[in-house]
């Protein structure tokens, strides 16, 4: 869930901080399953062979048996880590082992992306994963979290974020590190292996990751001047989850509040003076908010998907214009470029695009194949045909088009 800050997002003088969002930011599932027939394995083997011959990922669209949706993914030309087949989509990466019966090793490993989790909510996503696997022919025995990143984003005053925090950590970990970005504090890491904690400037990280949709989760247009949005993120692996009675997905959901309490009270704390005896230590005030205002698994925020698509289009458009500008430079007379007259953007980019198509001898069949291969890279969770049309129409309007483009 998200906490909705008031229109004036700046902290009051009596506020040590304000939690803006909390939830699961990364999720890797280990799935115990068996397969009643060889049909799926035979199909995956054929697709993998096609990928090997083409030396490129093989695109596939799985039509799901609800009659309304599908799942677009690419089959890799190789396996990894003992798993025969790797299926990659915009929302998740799935690794499938080449054995039909149950083994000690998970039959399927699925790495779910942050955008998917924040868009739909973790429970909806796990249900969707199970549905896709059943459509592939798997009989699921148990779903286990293999890695979970629990995150809490908090708005802090500028002066609360400093390298001096390194002296405030009280932790069971032996390893601590501080990170700078151009002499600016970017974050800390504490621990390794089964538990790794990252405490970092999330807005600074977004400049690299381009996950601008987090501002919609936070319900703020920007970080207010004189403030920082800091993420506290606990990365937990299977062995620790098992010890905290989070071995299955259902157990993990049930024990999530207790797991967060263990993380923020027993495994790591921020105190005013770490040199004092633990009975005399006082918690840093904003850490109390981190401890107490974690809401568990977040609900879905559909607006994330729209913002993520717009960001992808913006990034690809910038790359396209950059490429067309480079082609224009090479096919335009020096006198025209070196003069003071403005170049007509429409005619020059149209001509550069025409040159590119002619040089590449672009055929409809080749273009169609390229689009199919990129579909899984950019496609988000599909819906019914009518819902997809509505989404495209909304996106077209958001981009300033009066009509839906093909």
């Amino acid at each position: 869930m998200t906490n909705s800050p008031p229109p004036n997002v700046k902290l009051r003088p009596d506020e040590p901080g304000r939690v803006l969002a909390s939830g699961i930011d990364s999720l890797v599932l280990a799935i115990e399953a068996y397969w009643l027939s060889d049909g799926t394995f035979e199909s995956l083997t054929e697709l993998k062979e096609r990928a090997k011959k083409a030396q490129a990922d093989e695109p596939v669209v799985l039509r799901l048996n609800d009659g309304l949706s599908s799942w677009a993914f690419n089959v890799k030309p190789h396996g990894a880590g003992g798993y025969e087949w790797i299926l990659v989509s915009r929302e998740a990466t799935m690794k499938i082992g080449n054995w039909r019966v149950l083994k000690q090793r998970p039959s399927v490993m699925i790495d779910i992306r942050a955008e998917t989790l924040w868009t739909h909510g973790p429970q909806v996503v796990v249900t969707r994963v199970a549905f896709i696997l059943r459509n592939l022919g798997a009989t699921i025995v148990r779903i286990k979290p293999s890695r979970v990143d629990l995150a809490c984003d908090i708005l802090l005053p500028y002066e609360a974020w400093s390298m001096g925090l390194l002296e405030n950590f009280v932790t069971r970990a032996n390893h601590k590190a501080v990170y700078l970005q151009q002499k600016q504090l970017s974050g800390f890491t504490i621990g390794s292996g089964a538990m790794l904690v990252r405490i970092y400037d999330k807005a600074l990280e977004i400049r690299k990751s381009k996950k601008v949709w987090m501002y919609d989760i936070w319900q703020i247009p920007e970080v207010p001047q004189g403030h920082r949005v800091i993420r506290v993120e606990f990365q937990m692996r299977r062995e620790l989850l098992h010890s905290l009675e989070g071995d299955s997905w259902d157990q993990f959901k049930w024990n999530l509040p207790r797991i967060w309490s263990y993380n923020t009270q027993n495994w790591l704390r921020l105190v005013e003076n770490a040199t004092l005896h633990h009975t005399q230590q006082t918690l840093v005030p904003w850490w109390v908010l981190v401890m107490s205002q974690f809401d568990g698994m977040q609900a879905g925020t559909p607006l994330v998907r729209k913002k993520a698509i717009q960001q992808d289009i913006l990034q690809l458009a910038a790359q396209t214009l950059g490429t067309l500008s480079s082609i224009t430079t090479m096919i335009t007379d020096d006198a025209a470029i070196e003069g003071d007259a403005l170049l007509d953007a429409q005619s020059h980019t149209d001509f550069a695009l025409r040159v590119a198509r002619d040089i590449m001898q672009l055929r409809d069949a080749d273009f169609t194949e390229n689009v199919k291969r990129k579909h899984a890279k950019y496609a988000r969770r599909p819906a019914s045909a009518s819902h997809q049309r509505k989404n495209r129409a909304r996106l077209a309007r958001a981009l300033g088009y009066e009509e839906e483009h093909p």
Side-chain angles (χ1 to χ4, degrees):
M1 299 290 290
T2 58
N3 296 320
S4 303
N8 179 12
V9 295
K10 291 186 178 181
L11 298 173
R12 301 188 305 271
D14 61 337
E15 278 189 290
R18 187 181 303 158
V19 173
L20 301 179
S22 61
I24 299 176
D25 189 68
S26 182
L27 179 61
V28 179
L29 298 174
I31 299 181
E32 297 174 359
Y34 60 88
W35 310 79
L36 295 176
S37 73
D38 291 326
T40 297
F41 287 8
E42 291 171 356
S43 297
L44 289 174
T45 298
E46 181 182 345
L47 291 166
K48 184 178 176 181
E49 286 303 315
R50 285 189 208 166
K52 285 182 180 178
K53 288 180 181 178
Q55 296 184 329
D57 297 351
E58 181 66 20
V60 185
V61 176
L62 176 67
R63 303 295 176 186
L64 303 177
N65 63 18
D66 58 3
L68 297 174
S69 59
S70 59
W71 183 49
F73 62 95
N74 286 335
V75 178
K76 289 286 185 181
H78 56 79
Y83 287 89
E84 183 72 20
W85 301 287
I86 303 176
L87 284 54
V88 180
S89 75
R90 177 71 186 197
E91 300 191 317
T93 295
M94 183 183 300
K95 296 189 292 187
I96 300 177
N98 190 9
W99 54 88
R100 283 179 52 188
V101 298
L102 287 173
K103 289 189 174 184
Q104 187 173 4
R105 191 174 197 183
S107 308
V108 183
M109 296 292 296
I110 301 181
D111 189 345
I112 303 167
R113 311 196 196 294
E115 180 192 319
T116 305
L117 293 166
W118 288 102
T119 299
H120 301 294
Q123 182 55 56
V124 171
V125 173
V126 173
T127 301
R128 170 80 170 178
V129 163
F131 184 63
I132 288 172
L133 279 173
R134 292 189 184 102
N135 273 262
L136 284 170
T139 298
I140 296 173
V141 176
R142 187 161 64 154
I143 299 176
K144 303 167 64 174
S146 179
R147 169 185 157 179
V148 182
D149 291 6
L150 302 179
C152 181
D153 297 332
I154 184 167
L155 182 70
L156 295 178
Y158 176 83
E159 58 272 15
W161 180 243
S162 71
M163 283 188 285
L165 289 172
L166 197 63
E167 304 301 321
N168 299 116
F169 296 133
V170 175
T171 177
R172 296 186 175 187
N174 294 321
H175 174 78
K176 292 187 286 186
V178 59
Y179 296 90
L180 302 176
Q181 185 172 318
Q182 295 180 346
K183 298 184 179 181
Q184 180 179 352
L185 175 64
S186 59
F188 305 91
T189 61
I190 303 103
S192 61
M195 173 73 94
L196 175 66
V197 183
R198 303 179 189 90
I199 303 177
Y200 60 96
D201 187 328
K202 184 61 180 177
L204 188 62
E205 185 269 340
I206 287 173
R207 296 178 195 173
K208 288 185 176 181
S209 68
K210 307 301 181 185
K211 295 178 182 177
V212 294
W213 42 263
M214 275 307 308
Y215 285 91
D216 293 286
I217 300 293
W218 298 334
Q219 297 186 26
I220 59 175
E222 60 184 10
V223 179
Q225 188 175 6
H227 295 70
R228 294 286 184 271
V229 175
I230 301 304
R231 167 160 291 188
V232 179
E233 185 175 86
F234 291 86
Q235 176 186 297
M236 311 176 68
R237 295 195 179 274
R238 186 182 308 171
E239 53 268 40
L240 182 60
L241 292 167
H242 175 75
S243 69
L244 294 175
E245 299 181 16
D247 198 36
S248 72
W249 176 248
D250 288 338
Q251 285 179 325
F252 173 77
K253 288 190 300 180
W254 179 259
N255 289 309
L256 184 53
R258 190 171 65 82
I259 291 171
W260 184 257
S261 294
Y262 168 81
N263 291 349
T264 57
Q265 296 180 43
N266 298 90
W267 203 90
L268 174 67
R269 293 178 295 130
L270 262 71
V271 300
E272 297 282 7
N273 187 345
T275 63
L276 297 176
H277 188 271
H278 69 90
T279 58
Q280 298 178 303
Q281 290 171 350
T282 302
L283 292 171
V284 172
W286 64 262
W287 190 255
V288 176
L289 300 178
V290 170
M291 287 169 46
S292 61
Q293 294 188 19
F294 181 81
D295 288 333
M297 285 192 290
Q298 68 271 34
T301 306
L303 187 60
V304 167
R305 178 93 338 141
K306 176 182 175 183
K307 287 299 181 71
I309 291 172
Q310 288 177 338
Q311 180 63 30
D312 279 353
I313 291 175
L314 178 63
Q315 189 170 352
L316 291 169
Q319 293 172 7
T320 302
L321 288 177
T323 301
L324 293 175
S325 298
S326 298
I327 294 175
T328 298
T329 298
M330 290 184 280
I331 62 177
T332 303
D333 291 338
D334 291 345
I337 297 176
E338 294 168 0
D340 294 331
L342 293 177
L343 298 176
D344 179 66
Q346 181 72 50
S347 62
H348 279 83
T349 54
D350 285 350
F351 185 64
L353 182 58
R354 194 157 61 247
V355 169
R357 286 199 302 261
D358 291 343
I359 290 175
M360 297 302 297
Q361 298 181 353
L362 184 62
R363 300 178 304 166
D364 290 348
D366 296 330
F367 181 72
T368 301
E369 184 65 22
N370 285 337
V371 170
K372 286 183 176 180
R373 290 190 183 279
K374 293 181 182 296
H375 181 48
K377 182 177 180 179
Y378 293 105
R380 271 69 169 182
R381 176 179 173 179
S384 66
S386 62
H387 188 62
Q388 289 183 48
R389 284 195 297 269
K390 289 178 182 177
N391 281 342
R392 286 196 295 268
R394 282 195 215 101
L395 181 58
R397 288 195 296 271
L399 293 171
Y401 299 120
E402 293 183 0
E403 301 177 347
E404 179 185 344
H405 283 217

